[in-house]
Amino acid sequence: MGSRASTLLRDEEIEEIKKETGFSHSQITRLYSRFTSLDKGENGTLSREDFQRIPELAINPLGDRIINAFFPEGEDQVNFRGFMRTLAHFRPIEDNEKSKDQNGPEPLNSRSNKLHFAFRLYDLDKDDKISRDELLQVLRMMVGVNISDEQLGSIADRTIQEADQDGDSAISFAEFVKLRC
């Protein structure tokens, strides 16, 4: 009885999450409410299955990649703090000015952290490079059967050719950062 009440956030936790993520007190409490409604096991963590029940992620072609971004390597559960850290990457960059701490770490929603986050969505094998095959897989997820494999291959080849500066037929993070869409 009262399992939800026992997992309510303490003010200290909210303050720590505010500092770490830049979210406001009201945003944190609203997201905590959403988190607990998704927590079907009522154990203070979310599983991949909990995320897959979110309709917007279920229909998103990159839904599985986004869901995977919430889970550290080898983990199959995410707690509220980890949930908030991942969501912070989606906050607008201009919010940094309000929450910037000159002595603290770079905000999670900084341009650099957002680029790292996006890069990891493409780097399926986590080898710090985006290969042609990885790029093809992600393109296929995004466009489905609307473009032929030949056309997708051509797009992937051109993208690699334009971005690959060191001639290794892959896109490193440094090369990814230099890409302009």
Side-chain angles (χ1 to χ4, degrees):
M1 187 170 134
S3 64
R4 293 283 187 210
S6 65
T7 59
L8 288 177
L9 288 176
R10 296 185 326 270
D11 284 337
E12 314 78 79
E13 290 174 298
I14 292 173
E15 286 306 311
E16 289 171 12
I17 292 169
K18 273 174 64 172
K19 282 182 191 165
E20 194 174 12
T21 66
F23 283 111
S24 70
H25 189 284
S26 64
Q27 289 170 321
I28 293 168
T29 55
R30 195 168 51 248
L31 286 165
Y32 185 73
S33 175
R34 178 70 169 141
F35 179 89
T36 56
S37 73
L38 292 170
D39 178 13
K40 297 303 178 196
E42 295 187 5
N43 59 3
T45 63
L46 298 180
S47 67
R48 283 179 169 74
E49 293 75 29
D50 291 327
F51 280 97
Q52 289 165 344
R53 288 188 201 97
I54 301 170
E56 295 82 359
L57 285 175
I59 62 169
N60 187 319
L62 293 177
D64 284 341
R65 297 298 309 145
I66 294 167
I67 291 168
N68 286 338
F70 280 88
F71 297 90
E73 189 68 35
E75 297 289 321
D76 60 356
Q77 300 285 311
V78 64
N79 62 20
F80 181 65
R81 193 167 208 150
F83 175 76
M84 292 300 293
R85 286 183 54 79
T86 301
L87 287 180
H89 291 95
F90 295 97
R91 288 182 46 247
I93 292 174
E94 54 270 14
D95 284 357
N96 286 343
E97 298 312 310
K98 295 177 216 161
S99 61
K100 196 159 199 168
D101 176 1
Q102 299 301 334
N103 301 323
E106 185 174 17
L108 292 169
N109 70 324
S110 68
R111 181 175 189 277
S112 173
N113 281 329
K114 283 178 177 285
L115 286 167
H116 272 101
F117 183 83
F119 182 82
R120 288 190 301 268
L121 292 178
Y122 286 90
D123 182 16
L124 304 177
D125 65 6
K126 298 178 173 113
D127 68 349
D128 295 326
K129 291 192 177 283
I130 301 169
S131 68
R132 180 184 189 274
D133 286 343
E134 289 170 319
L135 188 54
L136 271 174
Q137 279 184 268
V138 174
L139 288 171
R140 242 182 236 111
M141 288 177 214
M142 291 192 294
V143 300
V145 295
N146 298 319
I147 296 180
S148 72
D149 281 348
E150 186 177 299
Q151 290 170 310
L152 282 177
S154 179
I155 291 168
D157 290 339
R158 275 198 317 266
T159 303
I160 299 275
Q161 184 180 23
E162 288 177 23
D164 181 23
Q165 296 178 336
D166 62 7
D168 66 351
S169 299
I171 302 171
S172 67
F173 179 70
E175 292 165 337
F176 181 81
V177 169
K178 291 179 183 172
L179 279 175
R180 296 286 177 179
C181 298

